[in-house]
Amino acid sequence: MGQFEGLKDFDVAALGRNASATTGKPRELPVARIERDPDNIRKSFDEAAVIQLAETIKADGLLQAITVRRNIHKKDYFVISYGERRFRAVCLLGHPTIAAVIDDNFDPYRQAIENLQREELDPLDIADWVERREAAGDSRITIAKRLGKPKSYISEIALLIKAPPAIREAFRSRRIPDIRSAYLLARRYEEDPAGVTSWLDGDAPITRQIVTRTLANADPSRAAKPQALLPGAPRPGRGLWNSLAVQVSGREGTMVLKPGHRPNQATIQFADGSQEAVALSKIRLKTWMAL
């Protein structure tokens, strides 16, 4: 019996828990014991999209389990690694449990990449996440390589961390259309904060062309401010009003005046810098913009 003496200390329950983590089989876990990841790169969630997902889950069930890891600070509690949107939808339905895979091998970069690939991510959320990774000791070269992004992208988006409130707010409201424009304005702000703040005053859309032309001036506050074409106002001279601020399924963007891949499509430049060919039926015109 001596050779089996060590079996008395064998934790069968722990074996079961480890098996769940390594086999990837979902378990029904209490929703009340699952917490959101405070370090998740995504801070902003489209409420309408979550409601729509909840309706789908109500009709068809949860088709893909979420992934969680054990909370090392709270016994028998878990932290979401992947699937927070699904978790929010299930909570909205009032379900007491949710199908979850327990996997303690968590990689924050895998979580970030999944969010970057699945749906539009607020660049300010990315900027805050980059700041946290730098605080953890990761270099910008490492961050860029792990995310599959050029180092220039990380450098530009990191500047949003320290960007003044006027620029961050204009960017969050989609008045500033892309990261590059925000980066250029933030750089100019370091030299002329009063001029940039004054120039940003208002709520009219801003295009990349407006930003570039403004920065060519020595004093941004004296440059022409972006304007919106008011109803009934006379159309300015040819070539001045040749860009459209549009909305596609809740996403703000600018219509590029060239055709899409098909006759019933147009090319849209979205606020995150991406371009897509979108069916004309999905595009809602907001206003003309000056270039």
Side-chain angles (χ1 to χ4, degrees), residues 41 107-117 121 129 147:
I41 190 172
D107 181 350
Y109 282 96
R110 280 178 55 199
Q111 183 189 62
I113 290 170
E114 181 184 77
N115 276 285
L116 285 167
Q117 291 176 341
L121 192 61
W129 186 85
L147 292 180

Side-chain angles (χ1 to χ4, degrees), residues 3 53 64 72 81 83 89 103 107 141 177 179 190 208 216 253 266 268:
Q3 59 180 322
L53 178 58
Q64 181 182 2
I72 61 175
S81 297
D103 185 354
D107 181 350
I141 293 177
I179 295 168
E190 294 174 350
R208 173 79 70 86
I268 304 298

